[in-house]
Amino acid sequence: MNLSLYGHGEGQDAAWIAVDCGMMIRQDLPDSPLQVPNLASLETLGIAPRALIITHGHEDHIGAAAWLWPKWGCPIYATPLAAGLLRAKFHERGLASDAIQVIEPGEAMETGPFTLRFLPVPHSIPESCSLLIAAGEHRVLHTGDWKLDPDPLLGAPISPATFRALAPVDLVVGDSTNAPLPGESRSEGEVAKALDHTIARCKGRVVVTCFASNLARVLAIGRAAERCGRRVSLMGRSMERMVAVARGLGYLDDFPPLVPSSDLGYLPPEEVVVIATGSQGEPRAALQRLARGRHRSLELAPGDSVIFSAKAIPGNELLIERLKRGLGQLGVEVLDEFNHPELHASGHPAQEELRTLYGWVKPRYLLPVHGEPRHQQAHREIAESLGILAPLSPLNGDMIRFDADGLTLEARHPQPPCIIDQNAVAPLPGLGGRQRRESRHGSLYLALTVAATDEGGWTRIGRLMLDASESQPFDETDLGEWLDQVLASLRVETLADLRLALQPRLIGWFDEHLRRLPEIHLQILAMETSTISHTG
């Protein structure tokens, strides 16, 4: 859900630009709605960007643009692939795309007091760019998402000479995602060889799930399938859209011919490779439907293989485990980051790559972004070991001043979540905003009283309090038994943490047991008593 704003000047005279405008999927909420950045602070502060700059075409960098850009109406600058994806999104929303302007990697542009140069970097989508942002006497390198990949498959490796020519820069706003990891991230070329070897040894149908935007991976899968005498099919709307846009830009000229998914049932299993969305356990994605035996074009069977060529995004682990469990019940072999780590490569820099880049550009200061606090702290430690000043780990909503005195935290502005509700953006319920419209699949209200046990878990006291009148019928006894098991296993200290841990699991249970998922409202009450022992 990336959105950064850079301002130059003082007060009302300051000029601003926005860099990226992404969204995230809230899989912990009913119906997995989209969340976008909250613009309330910008409106309060009178900040309106004169341009929106896009570093690359991933959803967490462009996904909110069609929702939030209408508030700004400014020009949008993006490289050809990101621009094509944005135009498709604008078309879906009924928006004119005249504001989207294409800028080639390597080119420069000016807007107000800002001069920006788009610097090509390898990542898990073509045309990713770092930005050199100059305003006044300051030169800032906004790295975006990047890695050092000697064999990226699509696009060229990074140019050391280009980045050495920037030195010294005043500030790097840098990617911290893999800062705790030693060494270097695996190359896409290495993953392509591993996919070749793995698909060649599979006997039945092969389904490979990866991010639709990772076109180098999609190309590697297609090439591996062709070498093994297998036909290729795509499953998932985002996968089909991404491949179509990329082909139009000439990125997949040597990709093998595609078989419509509706024809897969006529092919022998050993001749099939499917590239599918759903690596993060998304409830409505193609792979989830395959795991439940609900896909209209294909049924998986014992002897088939599913390759997860993607890493779990933090927070999605439970959904992915449930998905893999469903595949296992079908007798399908699952190959993932744990038993076959060579089948995936991160798109972000590990420690040696960070040291290499900073050796080239020689920054005075670092502001570590992306990742969680532990990633930012690891990044700061690397910078400080190189003599780079890194005094801050920013949080969402921080306004930071950079001047002759360095980096200073000016203010913190709260960022309550904003959820896309049909054709509107609304604050998340329970956080002071208006209530969402009732779910079309009904609502289910569940309250339970709990007490902590001396084994560290929780136990349910009394019976469930349920109001499921608007929802579909289900077995309340089965739900109660499942709740007892889960509560006993949750090692959290507070009711707030318990609710946070239980809510996504509860959504998962209803998603497995109901045809349509209702909007679920959970209330947890504490029993006023000492801890309870299960052994006494």
Side-chain angles (χ1 to χ4, degrees):
M1 204 171 60
N2 295 279
L3 171 59
S4 303
L5 290 114
Y6 289 90
H8 182 261
E10 295 289 345
Q12 296 300 314
D13 295 329
W16 291 85
I17 57 171
V19 175
D20 293 329
C21 191
M23 63 83 174
M24 66 184 291
I25 299 173
R26 287 296 299 269
Q27 299 195 119
D28 58 329
L29 295 175
D31 294 332
S32 299
L34 303 182
Q35 182 176 331
V36 299
N38 191 324
L39 300 186
S41 297
L42 302 187
E43 293 167 359
T44 300
L45 295 168
I47 294 174
R50 62 173 61 216
L52 170 58
I53 316 296
I54 301 296
T55 61
H56 65 282
H58 276 154
E59 286 296 301
D60 60 327
H61 291 256
I62 68 169
W67 300 93
L68 302 186
W69 170 83
K71 293 178 177 290
W72 300 331
C74 60
I76 302 173
Y77 297 91
T79 52
L81 178 59
L85 297 171
L86 276 171
R87 287 194 186 101
K89 289 178 176 295
F90 275 44
H91 179 72
E92 281 186 355
R93 294 273 297 132
L95 298 172
S97 58
D98 301 350
I100 301 171
Q101 302 184 30
V102 173
I103 186 161
E104 295 290 337
E107 289 186 350
M109 55 161 286
E110 292 184 1
T111 178
F114 299 97
T115 300
L116 298 101
R117 182 171 293 279
F118 286 67
L119 304 167
V121 290
H123 184 44
S124 50
I125 187 173
E127 300 177 2
S128 288
C129 288
S130 295
L131 299 173
L132 181 67
I133 306 173
E137 298 178 353
H138 303 294
R139 296 167 74 247
V140 177
L141 179 65
H142 180 104
T143 69
D145 293 355
W146 67 281
K147 63 187 289 189
L148 298 182
D149 189 336
D151 187 13
L153 290 191
L154 290 177
I158 200 167
S159 168
T162 297
F163 283 86
R164 285 193 183 104
L166 306 180
V169 297
D170 298 308
L171 169 67
V172 166
V173 179
D175 181 356
S176 310
T177 307
N178 281 347
L181 301 182
E184 298 180 348
S185 296
R186 188 176 288 111
S187 168
E188 283 295 332
E190 293 178 56
V191 177
K193 293 173 185 174
L195 286 165
D196 257 355
H197 175 76
T198 303
I199 292 174
R201 74 168 181 79
C202 292
K203 303 301 182 187
R205 298 177 187 85
V206 177
V207 177
V208 188
T209 182
C210 63
F211 293 110
S213 58
N214 194 338
L215 291 171
R217 195 75 49 83
V218 172
L219 177 61
I221 297 163
R223 288 173 173 171
E226 193 169 40
R227 280 192 278 267
C228 297
R230 291 175 178 264
R231 309 287 296 279
V232 180
S233 184
L234 305 179
M235 281 189 183
R237 191 174 67 148
S238 61
M239 185 71 69
E240 293 168 354
R241 172 197 284 170
M242 184 67 67
V243 168
V245 172
R247 277 183 147 174
L249 293 169
Y251 277 112
L252 298 175
D253 286 343
D254 58 344
F255 197 72
L258 290 170
V259 175
S261 60
S262 57
D263 292 350
L264 289 175
Y266 303 108
L267 294 175
E270 65 274 9
E271 294 183 14
V272 171
V273 165
V274 174
I275 309 176
T277 57
S279 66
Q280 300 305 301
E282 298 96 323
R284 292 186 290 275
L287 187 58
Q288 191 72 257
R289 298 198 302 273
L290 287 170
R292 295 177 182 176
R294 295 181 184 173
H295 200 285
R296 64 176 180 267
S297 301
L298 185 67
E299 287 188 11
L300 297 179
D304 295 340
S305 302
V306 173
I307 297 171
F308 281 76
S309 190
K311 190 177 180 67
I313 294 173
N316 293 344
E317 293 88 352
L318 289 174
L319 291 164
I320 296 170
E321 279 308 306
R322 193 175 79 218
L323 170 61
K324 291 176 180 176
R325 198 161 55 243
L327 292 167
Q329 290 169 355
L330 296 176
V332 171
E333 181 184 11
V334 174
L335 301 90
D336 60 19
E337 61 182 292
F338 303 107
N339 55 25
H340 287 274
E342 71 279 7
L343 294 172
H344 175 61
S346 173
H348 302 271
Q351 292 177 359
E352 286 308 309
E353 293 163 281
L354 292 169
R355 291 190 179 98
T356 297
L357 180 69
Y358 298 158
W360 294 342
V361 302
K362 303 188 184 312
R364 291 174 54 228
Y365 286 88
L366 168 74
L367 189 67
V369 295
H370 305 342
E372 298 172 358
R374 67 182 183 89
H375 303 89
Q376 293 174 309
Q377 181 57 35
H379 199 174
R380 290 173 67 184
E381 290 170 5
I382 292 168
E384 288 163 358
S385 73
L386 298 172
I388 301 166
L389 299 171
L392 299 176
S393 290
L395 300 173
N396 288 333
D398 281 3
M399 178 176 277
I400 295 165
R401 174 182 291 269
F402 182 59
D403 56 20
D405 296 325
L407 292 164
T408 306
L409 176 61
E410 291 277 293
R412 285 206 154 126
H413 299 278
Q415 299 293 303
C418 277
I419 299 297
I420 292 175
D421 180 9
Q422 293 295 319
N423 292 316
V425 179
L428 188 64
L431 292 168
R434 67 173 178 82
Q435 293 297 309
R436 294 176 66 198
R437 200 164 29 81
E438 284 300 310
S439 169
R440 65 183 182 277
H441 296 154
S443 297
L444 184 146
Y445 296 85
L446 168 65
L448 61 152
T449 304
V450 299
T453 68
D454 56 12
E455 286 85 18
W458 298 78
T459 187
R460 182 163 56 94
I461 307 297
R463 66 181 186 85
L464 288 175
M465 291 172 278
L466 271 168
D467 180 0
S469 55
E470 299 178 33
S471 183
Q472 306 146 75
F474 58 90
D475 188 331
E476 293 186 21
T477 301
D478 190 17
L479 172 62
E481 292 174 353
W482 173 84
L483 270 172
D484 291 339
Q485 292 178 351
V486 172
L487 287 167
S489 70
L490 294 177
R491 301 296 194 265
V492 294
E493 299 294 328
T494 68
L495 285 184
D497 288 340
L498 179 62
R499 187 182 188 282
L500 198 64
L502 184 57
Q503 179 90 356
R505 291 171 169 84
L506 190 65
I507 291 170
W509 189 92
F510 281 108
D511 195 34
E512 284 184 345
H513 289 78
L514 299 179
R515 288 186 59 203
R516 297 181 303 278
L517 190 64
E519 187 166 348
I520 298 168
H521 304 267
L522 172 64
Q523 183 178 11
I524 302 178
L525 311 171
M527 182 177 180
E528 298 294 333
T529 183
S530 58
T531 58
I532 295 175
S533 171
H534 283 293
T535 58

